[in-house]
Amino acid sequence: MKLALCTDVLGDLTFTEMLDKVKALGIDAVEMTAGGWGGCKHVPTQELLEDDEKLAAYKAEIEKRGMEIAALNCSGNPLSPAEMGELHTKSIYDTAVLAGRLGVEKLVMMSGLPAGAPGDKTPNWITSTVSWPDYMVEAVRYQWEDVAVPWWKKFVEHCKKQGIKQIAIEEFPCQLVYNPETLLKLRDAVDPMIGINMDPSHLIAMGADPIAAVRALEGCIYHVHGKDARIERGLCDINGLAETKPVTDTKNRTWNYVAVGCGQDLQWWKEFFSVCHMMGYDGHVSLEMEDLTMSVEAGLSTSIDALNQTISK
């Protein structure tokens, strides 16, 4: 496995400044947002698609530093019934074209989340039993059969034409794919090009065991995010894991994203990566630093130190 960095955390730097910073951190690969919700701070997607000279110069900056693009990230909600869905679909399709021109064979994405019925304007994340109220059964059927599967079948064909080989879907709350079971459901319905971006932080925050999840996903792990979460002692015991407070309200949340090693200890991370390797994954581990309890520099230093001690190189 090789360490990479999700570069949005360095969004205040220019593209070349970011590359130099990442190189100085001892990392030779980057995962950059190019569409969807991402800030796209380091990938001017439309400019690069419209100007071959800019595209060539862009690639040259990466190559002359001996670096590579681990993946382009275009996580968003293309299944939203509102304007967001249209905008994200366009940017995601454009990201796939750009990936092909850059020679990047992997996209990191989210599944998207539809509304609960035709005519609804707001995405609806249904996670309770469909036994009651009884409208849940039709809502879930509609989301999967009428919206998600057709969209993804069409998009996979588009990706194949661009030379993309893997679509790594992050199992994220408030998305149709939020755990291994839903990932496999989409993969089985669409195409084996679809696999998982295994982000352990989300499973931890939902009360699952990422190491057990990895064992259930042999052959389907296409990308891994190095990202930790901490269940906050005392608060979780009172209110449970379902949490809607802003991520900035760290002291009152029942769980928080934290630097690697500040949620699960290093022994846990060693086992996690060991099992990833056992299940056939030897690709990039992209550090996604979203710890708001410390400075960016401290979070990067802490996480890089922990990952260098634990990933299966």
Side-chain angles (χ1 to χ4, degrees):
M1 298 179 192
K2 294 186 291 185
L3 191 56
L5 179 70
C6 297
T7 67
D8 273 4
V9 71
L10 301 176
D12 59 333
L13 303 181
T14 67
F15 174 61
T16 54
E17 288 172 340
M18 176 275 292
L19 292 178
D20 289 338
K21 174 69 172 180
V22 174
K23 191 74 175 180
L25 291 170
I27 300 173
D28 294 323
V30 289
E31 177 185 332
M32 300 181 290
T33 57
W37 279 310
C40 306
K41 299 292 186 179
H42 304 124
V43 187
T45 301
Q46 291 305 316
E47 288 183 28
L48 297 177
L49 288 175
E50 294 168 3
D51 191 322
D52 289 342
E53 290 186 3
K54 285 186 177 180
L55 181 65
Y58 186 88
K59 293 172 67 175
E61 291 292 346
I62 298 170
E63 292 168 356
K64 74 182 184 182
R65 291 172 173 81
M67 300 179 70
E68 62 180 325
I69 301 175
L72 289 184
N73 190 309
C74 51
S75 297
N77 189 0
L79 307 184
S80 173
E83 182 182 8
M84 177 186 292
E86 296 178 4
L87 292 174
H88 284 192
T89 292
K90 182 183 185 307
S91 71
I92 287 168
Y93 268 71
D94 287 345
T95 297
V97 175
L98 180 61
R101 295 185 183 178
L102 288 170
V104 176
E105 297 180 342
K106 179 165 59 180
L107 297 181
V108 173
M109 301 179 61
M110 293 176 186
S111 65
L113 179 69
D120 287 0
K121 296 182 179 180
T122 304
N124 193 331
W125 192 40
I126 299 171
T127 57
S128 63
T129 176
V130 297
S131 298
W132 185 89
D134 58 7
Y135 63 79
M136 299 280 199
V137 174
E138 173 56 22
V140 172
R141 187 211 63 77
Y142 166 78
Q143 289 181 317
W144 280 93
E145 297 180 14
D146 293 1
V147 182
V149 171
W151 189 94
W152 276 98
K153 283 184 175 180
K154 184 177 179 181
F155 182 65
V156 162
E157 291 307 311
H158 174 68
C159 287
K160 288 179 178 179
K161 292 175 183 177
Q162 314 310 319
I164 293 168
K165 294 182 178 179
Q166 294 182 329
I167 300 172
I169 296 182
E170 188 168 337
E171 78 303 3
F172 190 75
C174 289
Q175 295 281 299
L176 206 59
V177 170
Y178 60 92
N179 61 15
E181 185 175 55
T182 49
L183 181 282
L184 293 172
K185 180 176 180 177
L186 186 65
R187 174 185 170 93
D188 291 344
V190 178
D191 194 281
M193 176 186 278
I194 292 175
I196 197 166
N197 166 34
M198 170 51 66
D199 187 321
S201 68
H202 305 314
L203 292 176
I204 293 166
M206 288 187 282
D209 179 353
I211 295 173
V214 166
R215 288 186 177 276
L217 290 164
E218 183 175 5
C220 305
I221 304 170
Y222 289 171
H223 198 65
V224 172
H225 270 176
K227 185 176 172 187
D228 206 346
R230 182 173 63 231
I231 308 302
E232 301 295 358
R233 62 184 68 188
L235 298 179
C236 174
D237 298 330
I238 297 169
N239 291 317
L241 289 171
E243 179 60 87
T244 59
K245 298 182 187 72
V247 293
T248 52
D249 190 13
T250 54
K251 71 177 181 179
N252 293 311
R253 288 175 53 84
T254 60
W255 61 267
N256 287 293
Y257 295 128
V258 291
V260 179
C262 294
Q264 320 309 307
D265 64 22
L266 296 191
Q267 178 61 37
W268 186 96
W269 281 98
K270 288 177 181 178
E271 182 180 356
F272 173 75
F273 289 123
S274 176
V275 176
C276 285
H277 175 74
M278 287 164 55
M279 295 301 111
Y281 186 75
D282 285 309
H284 288 95
V285 176
S286 286
L287 166 57
E288 188 175 23
M289 214 301 287
E290 295 185 0
D291 190 331
L292 300 181
T293 73
M294 62 179 72
S295 69
V296 169
E297 288 296 326
L300 286 173
S301 176
T302 298
S303 297
I304 291 169
D305 181 58
L307 289 170
N308 278 331
Q309 293 183 66
T310 56
I311 63 173
S312 301
K313 295 182 180 179

